Amino acid sequence: MSQQHDWRPLEITPESAGVAATPAGLAEFVSDRERISEMLIREKALVFRGFRVDDGTLDSVMDPLLPNRLAYVHGNSPRSKVGSNVYTSTEYPSELTISMHNELSYAYAWPSRLLFFAAHEPTTGGATPVVDGVTWLESLAPEVREAFAGGVRYTQNLHGGAGLGKSWQDTFETDDRADVEVFLKGTEAEWEWLPDGGLRVTQVRPSTVRHPVTGAEVWFNQSDQWHPAALGDDMAAELAQILPEEELPQSVRFADGSPIPAEYVIEVRDKGLEAAVDVDWRTGDLLLIDNVLVAHGRRPFTGPRRILVAMSD
């Protein structure tokens, strides 16, 4: 096992940064983009705490941290757009755990950075667990890693406005089929428009990737979140028993089309959560992560938790 197992995000406070405990102080600190980039690659995740950032001052901090803010196009989780490429975090029921994942790791392209902002802390629970991708990969049994070596095949069934899961209009943020086709042509995906107005998208992706700067190999796929055996939602699990696999909102197999054993994805899910470090939220906190080096999830919570997220290439 790597020495990565004792990793945790670096917490930055006004005292450690040597600036005022204000949004302007934080904006001053993060304005040195080269320094922040070096820190993020070295530390993998940064927590900014005690700067009293709120919705009205968020952009002044977000702009230097995310120099090219991206839309959540082709995203598979339910969320709402609340600003200029700013979204609510995944809107799954509060009693559920969201397992570890790298944002858009199933897609042709993914953001390099994610920024989370605690607009309102939860009453209890609701931490964002983060896990070092090297640790997660090394924690898996050799036979699991070998089985996934050829990659995975993801299938999405996106309805046309009414149905289970997300619509293709919400997923691609457009009502124009031509726009969707232009996007998909650049992603090496296969797709077909269905008779009921829906869209089926299939794409083969790697199970691991290497960081473009450090060269570290990390676990980088969402097989457990797309596989019915690892679902924590009873309703979703029951749905998988009722519908054939090819009609589920999303499903996954090995790249060659063979089924992924249930015990493999359960191990992937559980090992990721076991190795994770919780970032507990206080209103005004920000968490910046390298989306390749670090995966994230969500713990169950009570109360009016409101976490916003934005991403950058």
Side-chain angles (χ1 to χ4, degrees):
M1 178 66 70
S2 164
Q3 293 301 312
Q4 304 285 337
H5 68 277
D6 58 358
W7 169 85
R8 63 183 309 105
L10 176 67
E11 183 173 314
I12 299 172
T13 65
E15 293 75 21
S16 66
V19 296
T22 62
L26 180 55
E28 175 189 345
F29 180 75
V30 301
S31 65
D32 187 338
R33 297 186 180 185
E34 184 176 347
R35 174 176 61 184
I36 294 299
S37 294
E38 291 174 353
M39 290 179 67
L40 186 59
I41 291 172
R42 181 177 68 249
E43 305 293 343
K44 307 176 185 179
L46 306 174
V47 177
F48 301 98
R49 177 162 287 157
F51 293 94
R52 302 190 300 228
V53 177
D54 59 21
D55 286 23
T57 56
L58 179 60
D59 276 347
S60 67
V61 175
M62 186 177 295
D63 288 345
L65 289 174
L66 302 178
N68 184 27
R69 214 179 301 173
L70 301 174
Y72 186 62
V73 176
H74 206 178
N76 70 322
S77 63
R79 61 183 72 206
S80 301
K81 193 170 186 177
V82 297
S84 177
N85 289 344
V86 179
Y87 301 82
T88 58
S89 58
T90 304
E91 296 169 353
Y92 282 126
S94 61
E95 68 273 14
L96 299 179
T97 295
I98 297 176
S99 61
M100 309 308 294
H101 61 286
N102 304 79
E103 203 64 46
L104 291 169
S105 61
Y106 54 85
Y108 178 73
W110 48 81
S112 62
R113 293 183 182 184
L114 301 182
L115 181 68
F116 299 88
F117 167 66
H120 199 298
E121 65 191 67
T123 303
T124 64
T128 293
V130 288
V131 65
D132 180 279
V134 173
T135 299
W136 193 4
L137 175 61
E138 292 180 347
S139 72
L140 301 176
E143 60 267 28
V144 173
R145 295 170 62 173
E146 182 178 353
F148 276 91
V152 293
R153 180 185 300 271
Y154 301 99
T155 299
Q156 288 174 289
N157 287 305
L158 304 167
H159 63 76
L164 298 168
K166 292 185 71 175
S167 68
W168 61 262
Q169 294 93 332
D170 286 341
T171 299
F172 295 98
E173 296 190 0
T174 181
D175 293 323
D176 190 331
R177 289 191 178 197
D179 289 344
V180 175
E181 292 185 1
V182 168
F183 177 89
L184 290 174
K185 284 177 182 177
T187 67
E188 300 178 1
E190 299 177 359
W191 74 92
E192 61 176 317
W193 295 102
L194 304 176
D196 63 1
L199 172 67
R200 177 174 294 139
V201 180
T202 302
Q203 43 194 342
V204 174
R205 303 295 182 226
S207 61
T208 68
V209 298
R210 290 191 178 274
H211 190 271
V213 176
T214 70
E217 184 181 15
V218 299
W219 187 252
F220 198 80
N221 68 83
Q222 288 177 233
S223 57
D224 64 306
Q225 291 194 330
W226 290 55
H227 196 293
L231 294 174
D233 184 339
D234 290 341
M235 183 177 298
E238 291 173 5
L239 180 65
Q241 295 178 349
I242 296 171
L243 288 177
E245 180 182 323
E246 61 270 18
E247 294 182 18
L248 290 171
Q250 57 189 40
S251 59
V252 64
R253 288 185 164 235
F254 287 127
D256 63 4
S258 60
I260 301 175
E263 61 269 24
Y264 286 6
V265 293
I266 290 172
E267 176 177 334
V268 168
R269 179 198 65 190
D270 292 350
K271 291 293 187 181
L273 286 166
E274 288 169 9
V277 176
D278 284 352
V279 176
D280 294 306
W281 290 109
R282 304 172 196 167
T283 300
D285 286 353
L286 297 104
L287 167 65
L288 180 69
I289 67 173
D290 185 304
N291 185 46
V292 174
L293 295 175
V294 173
H296 65 281
R298 192 201 69 188
R299 304 292 187 186
F301 66 93
T302 64
R305 179 185 190 269
R306 180 173 171 81
I307 307 297
L308 304 182
V309 63
M311 57 198 75
S312 177
D313 59 11

